[in-house]
Amino acid sequence: FVRDIIEINLSYIGPISLHAKVDDKYQYSCENKDLRVHGWICKDPTVGFWQITPSNEFRSGGLSKQNLTSHVGPYNLAMFLSAHYAGEDLVLKLQPNEPWKKVFGPIFMYLNSVSDENDPLHLWEDAKNQVFKRSSHFCKLCLCGTGTTWRRWILAKRMQADADGYFSINNIRCGSYNLYAWVPGFIGDYQHDVFITITAGCDIDLGGLVFKPPRDGPTLWEIGIPDRSSAEFYIPDPDPKYINKLYVNHPDRFRQYGLWERYADLYPDKDLVYTVGVSDYRKDWFFAQVTRKLSDDTYQGTTWQIKFKLDLVDPSGSYTLRLALATAHISELQAWTFKIIVLVNDPKTSSPLFSTGVIGHDNTIARHGIHGLYRLYNVEVPCTQLVNGNNTIFLTQTMASSDAPALQGIMYDYIRFEGPSSSNSKKQTGFV
């Protein structure tokens, strides 16, 4: 059986020119939903070598799970089962004598060529056209889910709804199933109330499914976009000695090597401070809360501050801080709330209002990704922790071990601060 990763490494040995100072396999990663065709073009002779994946149903981790596509040099990778950008949660674990079957693939290898006078990019267009031709030749793979939380299931059948929210799932094995979903732009997960039982030849119409995202009160402020990614935050320019010109002014500029080191460059002595209503998360919220490297080559955890103003604290109930994380790697996030008037008290000497404990083995930061496994934490903030006027929330990433400390850290997806549920402005919205 497959323990972790199977790679198919095939290569065409020929001239290749990489106009970059840093090039590694993680810079070619992409999400499963986009991993349909990838490969290489050689100009002498003008040939293309492509890998086409007609269906991604056999892949673990869901449509947004990132996987490798190519290695450095003209290598194509077929990632069948991978813990990249997820860690131990997606490593297959079998009990003694546990029966297990799974089909990996199909994977289609395609080579093409053009005459010397033709544009080599015709090879790429031809390879993309082959995706639609080959997809019709392969059946859908139907696998049932098992595991602890649905985003971490090794065996699952996943799909994406259309623009109007409609979906259908065909060719499902007989059995009982859960149905889970999430909606871009909203925090939390949808879970169907009852199991869905599939029998031979059945056609089940589930009707309209209503998803009510978690909410306890009105939004007082928010940072970021709830899309399970940290891509909307500030992504710095790379160190010139690490730059890959492929990603200059590119939508995936986060693929540049060594961006985590830029935090210490931008914040050499003090940590990030974000002021609600003044700061802009696109410019002022660093894409990853990492450790800071000190002058003696040691590392320390970092504490970020969110400053905000409450004109009048509502004493009728608690406030809610929602922390959605896009990824975590050997990290521990702690949260405090402190009144500005007592800021002389060092938050590190006080008991945190909330702590995640040590979480994550996604290793997304080292692999130039922008998200790994999604995590949502809902923190109750007693009104007694707040004051009329200026308040501060401290977010501390405490971990800084000697084992690759520079790569420890978290990426935020979205942060929201809600008022008490008793407020007249509370809204509870359902999405169909």
Side-chain angles (χ1 to χ4, degrees):
F1 68 94
V2 179
R3 173 61 183 170
D4 188 9
I5 298 173
I6 293 178
E7 295 183 352
I8 298 176
N9 290 346
L10 303 174
S11 63
Y12 170 79
I13 305 301
I16 184 169
S17 177
L18 296 176
H19 301 288
K21 294 184 178 180
V22 170
D23 184 47
D24 65 50
K25 64 181 180 180
Y26 300 120
Q27 293 182 324
Y28 301 106
S29 296
C30 76
E31 296 182 352
N32 284 339
K33 65 180 176 59
D34 301 319
L35 212 170
R36 304 297 302 279
V37 56
H38 64 277
W40 297 84
I41 293 176
C42 178
K43 290 187 177 180
D44 185 18
T46 309
V47 298
F49 167 56
W50 311 100
Q51 180 177 303
I52 295 173
T53 309
S55 170
N56 55 38
E57 291 184 12
F58 66 89
R59 299 188 190 278
S60 60
L63 299 178
S64 60
K65 165 73 166 60
Q66 296 180 93
N67 266 310
L68 301 176
T69 64
S70 297
H71 217 308
V72 177
Y75 291 83
N76 283 344
L77 305 179
M79 308 301 296
F80 288 164
L81 191 64
S82 169
H84 283 68
Y85 304 96
E88 287 294 317
D89 287 331
L90 286 190
V91 172
L92 179 64
K93 299 177 179 67
L94 299 176
Q95 299 299 320
N97 301 317
E98 179 182 354
W100 184 79
K101 288 184 179 181
K102 183 176 175 68
V103 176
F104 290 104
I107 300 295
F108 177 64
M109 313 308 298
Y110 181 65
L111 284 80
N112 55 5
S113 63
V114 294
S115 59
D116 293 339
E117 63 270 16
N118 289 340
D119 183 355
L121 289 181
H122 285 308
L123 299 171
W124 169 234
E125 297 301 323
D126 176 51
K128 288 190 292 184
N129 289 333
Q130 292 294 322
V131 174
F132 303 102
K133 295 179 181 179
R134 304 299 164 179
S135 295
S136 62
H137 295 320
F138 297 112
C139 65
K140 296 292 185 179
L141 303 178
C142 308
L143 301 169
C144 57
T146 181
T148 53
T149 53
W150 73 279
R151 284 182 300 275
R152 295 161 171 78
W153 284 347
I154 301 298
L155 304 180
K157 187 175 180 70
R158 299 174 172 89
M159 49 76 59
Q160 185 171 355
D162 64 21
D164 297 320
Y166 291 99
F167 67 91
S168 62
I169 306 177
N170 302 316
N171 303 323
I172 305 176
R173 284 179 179 175
C174 294
S176 295
Y177 294 83
N178 292 97
L179 178 65
Y180 298 87
W182 65 276
V183 181
F186 303 96
I187 61 174
D189 296 322
Y190 169 83
Q191 179 179 351
H192 198 47
D193 293 335
V194 296
F195 281 96
I196 301 169
T197 301
I198 303 298
T199 58
C202 72
D203 186 358
I204 299 176
D205 185 352
L206 296 177
L209 304 177
V210 178
F211 169 44
K212 292 185 177 181
R215 175 176 291 279
D216 290 329
T219 298
L220 301 182
W221 52 260
E222 58 187 349
I223 300 173
I225 302 170
D227 58 359
R228 311 194 177 208
S229 165
S230 189
E232 71 268 25
F233 298 126
Y234 177 68
I235 299 174
D237 292 329
D239 187 313
K241 68 176 179 288
Y242 294 148
I243 195 168
N244 185 332
K245 295 181 180 179
L246 174 65
Y247 290 110
V248 174
N249 298 321
H250 190 282
D252 290 351
R253 57 179 297 167
F254 56 82
R255 295 290 182 193
Q256 295 278 11
Y257 178 84
L259 294 182
W260 58 85
E261 294 182 353
R262 297 304 318 280
Y263 180 78
D265 295 337
L266 296 172
Y267 301 93
D269 303 311
K270 298 181 179 180
D271 283 322
L272 182 150
V273 177
Y274 186 94
T275 302
V276 174
V278 177
S279 302
D280 183 345
Y281 64 78
R282 294 167 295 185
K283 302 176 182 178
D284 303 314
W285 190 272
F286 199 77
F287 78 104
Q289 185 172 0
V290 293
T291 56
R292 177 191 291 104
K293 186 177 182 179
L294 304 179
S295 57
D296 60 356
D297 289 336
T298 61
Y299 294 82
Q300 65 178 191
T302 54
T303 297
W304 291 8
Q305 299 180 42
I306 303 174
K307 296 181 178 293
F308 62 99
K309 186 175 182 180
L310 291 176
D311 293 332
L312 182 63
V313 176
D314 187 342
S316 64
S318 296
Y319 291 69
T320 302
L321 176 66
R322 302 199 188 273
L323 298 169
L325 304 186
T327 191
H329 183 65
I330 316 177
S331 301
E332 180 177 7
L333 178 63
Q334 297 181 348
W336 290 263
T337 58
F338 273 81
K339 305 170 185 178
I340 289 295
I341 57 174
V342 293
L343 192 60
V344 291
N345 292 334
D346 184 356
K348 294 183 179 180
T349 65
S350 304
S351 298
L353 184 66
F354 163 80
S355 176
T356 62
V358 180
I359 55 173
H361 291 86
D362 301 7
N363 211 10
T364 299
I365 297 171
R367 291 171 173 148
H368 327 316
I370 208 65
H371 65 80
L373 292 179
Y374 177 76
R375 298 167 175 87
L376 176 62
Y377 299 96
N378 304 303
V379 184
E380 180 180 336
V381 182
C383 61
T384 54
Q385 290 277 330
L386 303 168
V387 66
N388 296 340
N390 295 321
N391 294 266
T392 301
I393 289 178
F394 297 87
L395 299 174
T396 298
Q397 197 295 103
T398 64
M399 302 295 290
S401 69
S402 58
D403 183 15
L407 305 180
Q408 291 180 256
I410 61 176
M411 293 182 184
Y412 295 92
D413 165 44
Y414 175 71
I415 303 175
R416 185 169 76 208
F417 194 63
E418 299 174 7
S421 59
S422 60
S423 173
N424 292 330
S425 59
K426 175 188 175 184
K427 295 181 179 180
Q428 185 68 269
T429 306
F431 300 90
V432 179

